Amino acid sequence: QVQLVESGGGLVQAGGSLRLSCAASGSIFSINAMGWYRQAPGKQRELVAAITDDGRINYLDSVKGRFTISRDNAKNTVYLQMNSLKPEDTAVYYCNAAVIDYGRRLRDYWGQGTQVTVSS
């Protein structure tokens, strides 16, 4: 079994910054892609940013230039640095990881979610 533990959400004023962290632990042989999704009330969950094990990155268009995703493979941890936050960034942010376990099975795992609220 694999667990993803997120931290770093909170309340911030527009223009402020937050840094999210997500640490994976458990039966991990390797991790392919890691990413952050978000879901605002009444909206579908959307991919915010993702990073592969070899460093390829993609971002949601609306966060390009403001958010930066990174990962520490040795710690099985992914980060999301969020700058110049806007009220429309308000959502629950979920960590996701595509994990290969010791049985060489590829499975998708999710964190519990962390609330990010940006006030105007």
Side-chain angles (χ1 to χ4, degrees), residues 39-95:
Q39 188 166 20
K43 295 188 177 182
Q44 289 189 330
R45 189 174 297 190
E46 61 182 355
L47 175 65
V48 176
I51 181 169
T52 63
D53 54 351
D54 59 356
R56 288 171 290 153
I57 292 172
N58 67 289
Y59 293 103
L60 180 68
D61 282 347
S62 62
V63 307
K64 287 180 180 178
R66 300 188 297 121
F67 291 10
T68 302
I69 190 170
S70 60
R71 65 188 277 179
D72 184 332
N73 290 331
K75 296 181 179 179
N76 290 330
T77 299
V78 64
Y79 307 95
L80 186 67
Q81 177 66 42
M82 304 185 293
N83 298 329
S84 303
L85 281 160
K86 303 176 181 180
E88 51 263 44
D89 294 318
T90 295
V92 178
Y93 283 70
Y94 296 92
C95 175

Side-chain angles (χ1 to χ4, degrees), residues 27-40:
S27 180
I28 299 171
F29 175 76
S30 65
I31 302 178
N32 290 351
M34 301 186 80
W36 291 94
Y37 289 71
R38 68 187 182 187
Q39 188 166 20

Side-chain angles (χ1 to χ4, degrees), residues 1-5 22-28 31 75-76 99 109:
Q1 192 58 274
V2 173
Q3 299 80 38
L4 301 183
V5 178
C22 171
S25 63
S27 180
I28 299 171
I31 302 178
K75 296 181 179 179
N76 290 330
V99 176
Y109 291 91

